[in-house]
Amino acid sequence: MKVAIIRFPGTNCEFDTAYAFEKLGVKTEIIWHERQDFSADLIVLPGGFSYGDYLRCAAIAKLAPAIKTLKKHVQKGGYVLGICNGFQILLELGLLKGAMKHNNSLSFISKMQTLQVVSNNNAFLKNFQKNDIIELPIAHGEGNYFNDDDSIKMLEDKDMILLKYINNPNGSLNDIAGICDENKKIFGLMPHPERVCDEILGSNIGLKMFEGFLH
């Protein structure tokens, strides 16, 4: 298996993500945003602040040359994982449904967060049990997920909601912290599993998530 991690100006979690997959024995390659000549089994859009996020989170990243390759990867049925800023990019691209607003507090939130596993019928969370309660770090200023009522119902009916917040920290509609597409090949979440992949950091629960893509 090969994992490609796209790096934009302002990305800051690419090396953590590579470290996590390499702990699992997976070959990774960090791809500069201007490249199009790459391929992988899984493409990861890591956390950070692509192009500074000055205009709107992910508004410029969706225009990067590397995204053209990502779109071709999606058309072929390949896996994509978007973490935090990566989730925002997937929403901007329309590959996942919904939009992201500023946190209700209008403040940047960085802390450990309790979450509920809503669905394990997918590669990302198949190593967990439904309704498991887990902890992951969050770090974002725009993690307030929004969608219209019909789309929320569709997400629920088609088992596309993966994670929900316990004690919702940012105002996300229906406590949503992570979702997937209908084919369960494209995943986006605001928490950072790559930051809990070593016991020295207090937890390796992130590895359990990434392992789901290996089998």
Side-chain angles (χ1 to χ4, degrees), residues 56-122:
R56 184 181 66 247
C57 282
I60 299 176
K62 68 181 179 183
L63 305 174
I67 294 298
K68 295 178 182 176
T69 302
L70 181 142
K71 289 179 176 176
K72 291 177 183 175
H73 174 78
V74 169
Q75 289 169 358
K76 295 175 184 175
Y79 283 102
V80 178
L81 173 64
I83 302 169
C84 198
N85 193 227
F87 185 13
Q88 294 162 341
I89 294 170
L90 291 173
L91 294 173
E92 280 285 331
L93 285 167
L95 294 175
L96 292 178
K97 298 182 182 301
M100 208 62 79
K101 302 190 299 181
H102 286 282
N103 299 339
N104 276 352
S105 64
L106 300 182
S107 297
F108 189 91
I109 303 172
S110 178
K111 64 170 189 168
M112 289 299 290
Q113 174 65 43
T114 307
L115 300 130
Q116 177 189 9
V117 175
V118 179
S119 173
N120 62 354
N121 183 27
N122 57 78

Side-chain angles (χ1 to χ4, degrees), residues 63-194:
L63 305 174
I67 294 298
K68 295 178 182 176
T69 302
L70 181 142
K71 289 179 176 176
K72 291 177 183 175
H73 174 78
V74 169
Q75 289 169 358
K76 295 175 184 175
Y79 283 102
V80 178
L81 173 64
I83 302 169
C84 198
N85 193 227
F87 185 13
Q88 294 162 341
I89 294 170
L90 291 173
L91 294 173
E92 280 285 331
L93 285 167
L95 294 175
L96 292 178
K97 298 182 182 301
M100 208 62 79
K101 302 190 299 181
H102 286 282
N103 299 339
N104 276 352
S105 64
L106 300 182
S107 297
F108 189 91
I109 303 172
S110 178
K111 64 170 189 168
M112 289 299 290
Q113 174 65 43
T114 307
L115 300 130
Q116 177 189 9
V117 175
V118 179
S119 173
N120 62 354
N121 183 27
N122 57 78
F124 188 54
L125 293 172
K126 70 182 184 185
N127 292 330
F128 293 80
Q129 297 298 314
K130 190 175 180 179
N131 296 322
D132 272 358
I133 301 298
I134 61 175
E135 276 201 334
L136 293 173
I138 60 170
H140 56 250
E142 296 180 44
N144 184 354
Y145 179 81
F146 181 79
N147 213 328
D148 60 70
D149 291 343
D150 289 342
S151 295
I152 290 289
K153 185 175 186 311
M154 187 272 286
L155 289 174
E156 292 173 342
D157 290 346
K158 297 191 175 183
D159 198 30
M160 294 162 65
I161 299 174
L162 305 186
L163 288 169
K164 283 191 175 186
Y165 297 110
I166 303 294
N167 299 322
N168 190 342
N170 50 31
S172 286
L173 207 59
N174 283 24
D175 303 322
I176 289 174
I179 61 175
C180 66
D181 72 328
E182 283 191 59
N183 296 319
K184 304 186 188 303
K185 291 290 189 74
I186 304 172
F187 304 90
L189 75 163
M190 288 312 293
H192 286 269
E194 81 284 2

Side-chain angles (χ1 to χ4, degrees), residues 25-43:
V26 176
K27 182 180 179 183
T28 66
E29 184 178 11
I30 294 176
I31 305 295
W32 186 236
H33 67 123
E34 294 177 334
R35 281 184 56 190
Q36 296 184 48
D37 60 334
F38 65 94
S39 62
D41 301 294
L42 168 67
I43 295 179

